Amino acid sequence: MSARILASGAAMLLAAAAATPAVAADTAFTNATVVIGDGSAPVEHGTVVVRDGKILAAGANVPVPAGATVVDAGGKWITPGLVIAVTDLGLLDVGAVSSSNDSEADKSVFNAALDVSTAVDPEALPLEVSRAGGVTRAAVSASAGNSIFAGQGAYIDLGADPQAVEKPRAFQLVELGERGARLAGGSRLAAQALLRNALAEAREIAAMPKGTRRDDVLLTRSDAVALVPVVTGKQPLYVHVERASDIRGALALKSEFPALNLVIVGASEGWRVAGTLAAAKVPVIAQPMTDLPGRFETMAATQSNIGRMTKAGVKVAIGGMFDMDQPRYAPQYAGNLVAVGKMPGATGLTWGQAFAAISSVPAGIMGEGDRYGSLLPGRDADVVVWDGDPLEVGNAPVKVYIDGVEQPVSNHQTRLRERYRHPAPGALPKAWDW
């Protein structure tokens, strides 16, 4: 955020300063239960020091710099901002209303070339709700429409400013598995052939970017060019698959295209191939509570999935939240995994592991772990103050900061709540009075 404000010129900087509370050079939050977000356990009676939008120090026995503004947290919890990968935040207001929904382009002539950064709305209602829930960063993607390719996703922050997109064209999302089979022509054979052909065409473009193309290509030139950074490993390829054999099929792509930077999304049966995923060092973005055989590709789904993969050494983030599955539920899901670990015969996560799965781990998978996702020194000061343990479903954020700047947490839902909280009999608020 700071870089964008500087780039936008002095006028916007002054406007931003007038619209948001001023931030002292050093701010120290004391008397807090501090969560670093790196997998370690919470630290009681801890301190977090922020300097110029960055974390200076956090933890126990952290000295308060002379002249710092001291904020007594009164025993509240302080964590890094939540990081969600992947989601459709900013691409829709109401999923069922097509005019407000840019999350799928099922009639587009382009597919891999689609770029979500051109459509992200920083004022989308779900984005405001998520910010109030402690979400500060996200990897945003469309869904696949009429092709196995969903297009190029973007990394955004949820700051209350006009420029949400921090990194456009950050990754490509492709559908394999059952849905990929339907999109490609009716079988997994077609999906695999289509993907391999597309990557081969991109490799040809990479070898001769200005040369003529053969006359039997399937992709538009725009789609093929969009896949060049994928086939050369400069842009991660997020592959949505659920079944164990489909995960193996995705991993096998690297034997033909060794530069691929793979991330598996979904992986309901990931625990069955956890050793293979760990050996390949391929991270996973998974939903934690999928445990029903709702489809043939999820027959072996279990709530122990993330715990088993993590135990095997796979880097696993909680994510893949689209439309009704809102990112603000991420702490509840993480808490559920802690509870799962306490059930006989089940495998869950420790408290620290669970919170890392919604903060530093997704940030690391996005390649941004040295910028945010934890309260380690030098990270962007994305800080959330909670009224209690964030993994307890009844607790909520009371303050949200991004780059050290306090963010508004009001949204359409809170405004409706206030409007109708205490209406006098016969005097409901006027439609224009709010």
Side-chain angles (χ1 to χ4, degrees):
M1 178 184 294
S2 299
R4 293 200 310 278
I5 292 176
L6 291 172
S8 64
M12 181 171 287
L13 180 60
L14 291 172
T20 55
V23 179
D26 287 352
T27 301
F29 299 89
T30 62
N31 188 25
T33 298
V34 175
V35 177
I36 302 298
D38 60 352
S40 58
V43 177
E44 295 185 352
H45 308 297
T47 297
V48 178
V49 180
V50 174
R51 173 175 293 174
D52 296 332
K54 299 287 185 181
I55 300 296
L56 183 65
N61 304 315
V62 171
V64 176
T69 298
V70 178
V71 179
D72 186 343
K76 293 184 172 61
W77 289 57
I78 296 183
T79 74
L82 307 183
V83 181
I84 305 299
V86 281
T87 175
D88 52 10
L89 275 182
L91 295 181
L92 61 96
D93 283 307
V94 180
V97 178
S98 60
S99 58
S100 74
N101 190 339
D102 293 306
S103 66
E104 186 176 305
D106 60 358
K107 297 180 178 60
S108 172
V109 297
F110 299 108
N111 298 291
L114 297 175
D115 178 358
V116 304
S117 69
T118 61
V120 170
D121 177 10
E123 297 177 325
L125 300 181
L127 192 147
E128 289 185 346
V129 172
S130 297
R131 180 171 62 228
V135 180
T136 56
R137 312 275 177 169
V140 174
S141 174
S143 299
N146 60 1
S147 161
I148 62 173
F149 294 103
Q152 301 169 94
Y155 297 162
I156 69 168
D157 71 49
L158 277 71
D161 63 86
Q163 299 184 45
V165 176
E166 287 202 317
K167 186 175 182 179
R169 299 176 293 283
F171 61 98
Q172 176 76 227
L173 176 64
V174 65
E175 281 280 350
L176 294 179
E178 289 183 1
R179 185 155 190 266
R182 292 197 301 273
L183 291 168
S187 80
R188 288 176 169 80
L189 308 177
Q192 284 282 344
L194 188 62
L195 177 56
R196 281 178 159 77
N197 176 78
L199 295 176
E201 289 188 20
R203 188 161 53 188
E204 291 170 5
I205 290 279
M208 293 191 301
K210 296 183 180 179
T212 58
R213 302 180 71 192
R214 52 188 170 86
D215 58 7
D216 62 342
V217 295
L218 294 180
L219 300 184
T220 66
R221 188 175 187 89
S222 293
D223 282 341
V225 169
L227 290 172
V228 168
V230 171
V231 79
T232 55
K234 296 178 180 177
Q235 184 185 79
L237 179 64
Y238 287 26
V239 182
H240 178 213
V241 285
E242 303 287 352
R243 198 171 73 179
S245 64
D246 290 331
I247 297 172
R248 294 191 196 97
L251 297 178
L253 290 167
K254 287 182 69 71
S255 64
E256 191 172 344
F257 303 96
L260 287 182
N261 183 5
L262 290 176
V263 176
I264 300 297
V265 180
S268 294
E269 296 187 351
W271 65 273
R272 296 183 63 198
V273 290
T276 305
L277 283 164
K281 301 185 185 306
V282 172
V284 170
I285 300 169
Q287 290 194 328
M289 294 293 103
T290 303
D291 66 343
L292 296 175
R295 303 188 300 274
F296 278 102
E297 63 181 356
T298 61
M299 294 292 285
T302 169
Q303 292 182 2
S304 291
N305 186 36
I306 288 182
R308 291 175 183 174
M309 286 192 288
T310 300
K311 188 176 181 179
V314 183
K315 184 184 295 184
V316 188
I318 294 173
M321 298 177 179
F322 290 85
D323 198 6
M324 298 300 292
D325 196 8
Q326 298 182 33
R328 63 174 171 160
Y329 299 151
Q332 179 180 343
Y333 291 148
N336 288 341
L337 287 180
V338 178
V340 165
K342 298 178 181 179
M343 297 176 64
T347 306
L349 300 179
T350 66
W351 198 102
Q353 288 174 325
F355 196 88
I358 54 176
S359 54
S360 62
V361 174
I365 292 174
M366 293 160 61
E368 302 291 329
D370 59 346
R371 278 201 53 209
Y372 49 77
S374 71
L375 298 183
L376 294 173
R379 305 307 191 270
D380 294 346
D382 295 358
V383 176
V384 181
V385 182
W386 304 74
D387 58 7
D389 182 341
L391 301 192
E392 291 288 344
V393 70
N395 298 328
V398 294
K399 298 280 187 181
V400 177
Y401 301 81
I402 298 178
D403 291 330
V405 177
E406 185 174 352
Q407 300 295 315
V409 293
S410 65
N411 54 72
H412 189 65
Q413 295 177 358
T414 60
R415 290 190 288 274
L416 283 174
R417 179 195 63 197
E418 295 305 318
R419 186 182 185 203
Y420 293 106
R421 173 174 278 181
H422 302 297
L428 285 174
K430 302 296 186 288
W432 59 84
D433 186 22
W434 74 316

